[in-house]
Amino acid sequence: MSTSTTPVATTSTTGRARTTGPGPAAMLALEVRDEMRMIRREPAALFFSVLMPVMFYTLFVSLFGNQFPSGGSRPVGTLMLATFGTYGAIVATMMNPGISLATARENGWFEAIRVSPVPVGVHLAAKVLATVPFVAGILVAMTTASAALGVLEVSVGEWFALVAALVVGSQSFALVGLVVGALASPNAATAILNAIIMPAAVASGLWFPLESMPDWVSTVARVLPTYHLAELAATPLGGGPWMTHLVVLVAFTGLAGLAAAAAWRRADA
Amino acid sequence: MADRSDPLRVRDVQFTYPAAARPALAGVDLDVRPGECLALLGPNGAGKTTLIRTITGLRSPDAGIVRVAGGDPRQASTRSHIGVMLQSTAFPSHLTVRELVDGAAARAGRTTGDVDDVLDEVGLVDLAGRRSQALSGGQRRRLQLARALVVDPVLLVLDEPTEGLDAESRRATWDNLAARRDAGMAILLTTHLVTEAGEAADRVAVIADGRIVADASPDVLVHGLPDRTIHLNTTVSLATVRALPAVDHVTVTSTGDAVRSTLAITTRRPEGILRSLLVADPGARDLRVVGASLEDAVLAITADRDRLARRPPDDVPGPSRRSPADPSSAPTASVPAAAAPARRLTERTTA
């Protein structure tokens, strides 16, 4: 992929020299910049996708964070960085791209994008990538809260591994948001995404340990990608083998990609 | 590289919506040359929107060729040479006017130095720092125009460009577009304001049933229509006027009292009717005789087409009374009725 183009001068009606447009990487950077501006300037989006997961985390850590799991050496508050971090990451990566795509489709802005020099794929990728700083911000805020509450026991290397797992792993969930955003109205997209995220969070043990729930919930959790993302994120904190979780997440990404392509074809018909 | 000498070339473009009984585009040919403004007119459902969507790359034709500046508009690189003003005036609400115009320039490879000039041109320079959500409908329309102009396009596509603008802004918009056209920009516009289109456009293409059925200068279309309209305030009764020879159509535009009324009489031979009316009512007042408008011409063209399309195939149509075309070249039974008017009315100057 080229990051720049060879300037090619053409005659313009205004008499100024013009060049061909920016390369894909530069175009992506422009799109990400605008997407981040939009998220940053939308207080409601910031509250629901950034502040609320952090507030949930802080509340639960205040209640249970200084306990230790049986046979474990780290406080529950530290382990919750993986589970609540997963919740925060999927909220940011699913809700923001999904709702903003649904809104742009409904109000006509998406058509303006499609007649512009921006490839649709670049525009959608920018929606997803623009969530990365917010996911990182959520994890930094949760880490700060756990440190303030005295339950943080993690090395810098372990912390970076956890953040990397969540930032990269959550990107595939953005595809689900784009599927919903390509097919539903903004209000319906919000409701549908919440209807996906909330049960998945509970059933994957992101809010409460699976051990505290009925056995069938644990069975359900095994087929949910949210569960496997949380387990992958917990690996640096002393979790079990990670390969199975990675394979499940890669397979989920493939399926979500196929669904996104099908949704796009239907929306574009 | 953009071919500025060939802004738009459409050849035999066909498109049928899934499950539709008839094609939305049934073999459209169209060109716009550098420094030319073409108005695309036609009734609702004629295919205007589908054609615009095809030209701007929003829709792929089933068959045929669309080339903008020598390239395929479905390619993003080609779209950097198209300035588009769609009907929808939506923008991301939290971005400012300057950010939106600057973003359009940057994505098309234009320098941001042009942004101030364009904002000044459309009268938004004082609102550059305002977020789009705080703009009025007319300001949003001008913002759309700024985003379309700032890319210095080879082809400017305008869908209802003056919708929502006040009279002053409308005038300014047409003046801006005329200046751009004079500088060599090719412009394709659609509007329901046919009179404005006639003033702004060098050529008018009329689309009906997915085909271009007329393609000529506004003057040629209007002068080809023989109709004249007599307006007068008279005591002569409606029934009497209707009974006069050569009266095509009469409407009462206002009724002043029980005795007088204001009439609009459409005819091809106004002289005889005027003589008869003035004999019957020497006190007739507010007398005016006006020629056909471009709107009349467009209506006549599309009505003519509808009438011909309803005829059975073996019914040889004679010259249309309301047709602006030369009656000597009226379609015959051997010419498909649907295609005939287009041939009569086409005044193409392209090869």
Side-chain angles (χ1 to χ4, degrees):
Chain A
M1 181 184 291
S2 170
T3 57
S4 64
T5 55
T6 304
V8 179
T10 61
T11 310
S12 104
T13 57
T14 55
R16 295 188 173 99
R18 63 172 295 170
T19 60
T20 53
M27 194 77 86
L28 182 63
L30 288 168
E31 288 290 302
V32 169
R33 181 195 65 183
D34 279 355
E35 289 293 331
M36 288 181 60
R37 277 176 174 159
M38 287 186 267
I39 299 173
R40 202 172 61 234
R41 294 173 186 175
E42 176 54 68
L46 281 178
F47 178 79
F48 285 107
S49 62
V50 177
L51 283 181
M52 216 163 77
V54 174
M55 287 163 58
F56 266 135
Y57 173 76
T58 307
L59 174 67
F60 277 74
V61 167
S62 301
L63 296 172
F64 312 109
N66 56 2
Q67 297 176 9
F68 285 81
S70 58
S73 60
R74 294 179 201 256
V76 166
T78 297
L79 300 177
M80 281 180 175
L81 280 176
T83 54
F84 277 81
T86 296
Y87 170 66
I90 64 169
V91 167
T93 52
M94 287 174 74
M95 297 293 273
N96 285 328
I99 294 171
S100 99
L101 175 59
T103 304
R105 279 181 48 250
E106 185 173 82
N107 68 18
W109 174 244
F110 196 60
E111 286 217 328
I113 294 293
R114 291 178 64 201
V115 299
S116 79
V118 182
V120 168
V122 169
H123 177 70
L124 296 179
K127 284 188 180 301
V128 177
L129 288 177
T131 64
V132 168
F134 297 94
V135 172
I138 289 167
L139 297 172
V140 167
M142 287 180 176
T143 305
T144 304
S146 66
L149 293 168
V151 297
L152 183 64
E153 281 188 27
V154 63
S155 70
V156 173
E158 290 167 343
W159 186 82
F160 273 110
L162 178 147
V163 170
L166 286 179
V167 167
V168 176
S170 64
Q171 295 296 290
S172 54
F173 288 82
L175 292 170
V176 178
L178 292 178
V179 168
V180 176
L183 299 175
S185 69
N187 286 339
T190 306
I192 293 168
L193 288 170
N194 275 317
I196 294 171
I197 291 170
M198 297 298 178
V202 173
S204 301
L206 303 187
W207 291 347
F208 307 100
L210 288 173
E211 296 77 26
S212 66
M213 287 191 271
D215 289 345
W216 65 267
V217 177
S218 294
T219 306
V220 170
R222 300 292 187 276
V223 298
L224 295 175
T226 38
Y227 165 81
H228 292 280
L229 178 60
E231 289 296 307
L232 188 69
T235 302
L237 306 179
W242 49 268
M243 183 56 81
T244 304
H245 308 305
L246 184 63
V247 168
V248 171
L249 286 171
V250 168
F252 166 67
T253 304
L255 289 173
L258 290 174
W264 173 250
R265 278 196 298 274
R266 181 172 168 184
D268 193 37
Chain B
M1 186 186 293
D3 183 357
R4 297 194 83 93
S5 67
D6 188 16
L8 175 65
R9 186 157 32 98
V10 177
R11 291 288 177 274
D12 195 25
V13 163
Q14 299 169 38
F15 179 79
T16 304
Y17 286 98
R22 298 192 320 178
L25 300 176
V28 171
D29 294 312
L30 196 67
D31 294 280
V32 184
R33 295 178 291 271
E36 182 181 53
C37 178
L38 172 73
L40 179 66
L41 306 177
N44 291 339
K48 291 194 301 289
T49 301
T50 305
L51 182 56
I52 292 288
R53 292 175 71 82
T54 306
I55 288 168
T56 54
L58 284 170
R59 192 164 285 293
S60 299
D62 295 336
I65 294 171
V66 178
R67 289 290 177 269
V68 176
D72 185 341
R74 288 168 294 182
Q75 302 293 323
S77 57
T78 300
R79 295 199 297 272
S80 68
H81 304 295
I82 311 175
V84 184
M85 191 173 171
L86 298 169
Q87 283 195 44
S88 163
T89 58
F91 299 101
S93 54
H94 296 295
L95 296 186
T96 67
V97 169
R98 179 179 295 284
E99 286 167 349
L100 285 161
V101 179
D102 183 81
R107 285 161 176 81
R110 294 291 285 161
T111 62
T112 54
D114 299 327
V115 170
D116 285 328
D117 292 343
V118 171
L119 288 176
D120 188 42
E121 187 178 342
V122 302
L124 284 178
V125 74
D126 293 335
L127 302 175
R130 186 174 290 185
R131 291 188 184 182
S132 70
Q133 64 188 357
L135 298 178
S136 69
Q139 289 164 346
R140 296 163 82 86
R141 211 78 185 119
R142 284 187 276 152
L143 173 55
Q144 275 192 311
L145 182 61
R147 283 173 49 85
L149 290 177
V150 79
V151 305
D152 189 23
V154 177
L155 176 69
L156 184 62
V157 179
L158 308 168
D159 197 354
E160 302 287 353
T162 56
E163 179 96 3
L165 295 182
D166 58 33
E168 187 181 350
S169 298
R170 247 190 352 253
R171 189 70 266 157
T173 297
W174 289 123
D175 289 346
N176 289 344
L177 294 175
R180 292 283 183 157
R181 179 199 58 194
D182 293 345
M185 191 176 286
I187 300 173
L188 170 65
L189 69 91
T190 68
T191 176
H192 69 279
L193 300 172
V194 178
T195 305
E196 284 192 1
E199 291 170 2
D202 305 299
R203 260 169 64 217
V204 170
V206 181
I207 188 168
D209 295 332
R211 293 176 193 273
I212 302 295
V213 295
D215 185 350
S217 71
D219 283 348
V220 167
L221 291 181
V222 171
H223 289 152
L225 197 66
D227 288 354
R228 301 289 181 271
T229 303
I230 301 167
H231 297 268
L232 84 165
N233 185 270
T234 181
T235 56
V236 180
S237 72
L238 189 61
T240 304
V241 174
R242 280 189 175 138
L244 291 172
V247 168
D248 183 26
H249 188 253
V250 185
T251 53
V252 179
T253 55
S254 71
T255 50
D257 52 48
V259 179
R260 310 190 71 87
S261 57
T262 301
L263 306 177
I265 306 162
T266 308
T267 177
R268 286 187 302 161
R269 297 199 298 274
E271 298 82 2
I273 295 172
L274 279 170
R275 276 194 292 272
S276 301
L277 286 172
L278 291 174
V279 167
D281 176 17
R285 55 194 190 220
D286 301 335
L287 177 62
R288 284 181 298 131
V289 181
V290 297
S293 66
L294 180 59
E295 189 164 9
D296 294 330
V298 172
L299 286 171
I301 291 162
T302 51
D304 202 27
R305 183 179 173 76
D306 285 347
R307 187 180 60 77
L308 288 169
R310 284 195 297 271
R311 283 178 183 272
D314 57 349
D315 182 7
V316 179
S320 166
R321 178 164 181 209
R322 288 182 58 82
S323 167
D326 175 6
S328 64
S329 60
T332 68
S334 61
V335 178
R343 293 183 187 175
R344 286 185 292 141
L345 300 173
T346 297
E347 182 208 44
R348 305 193 81 99
T349 53
T350 51

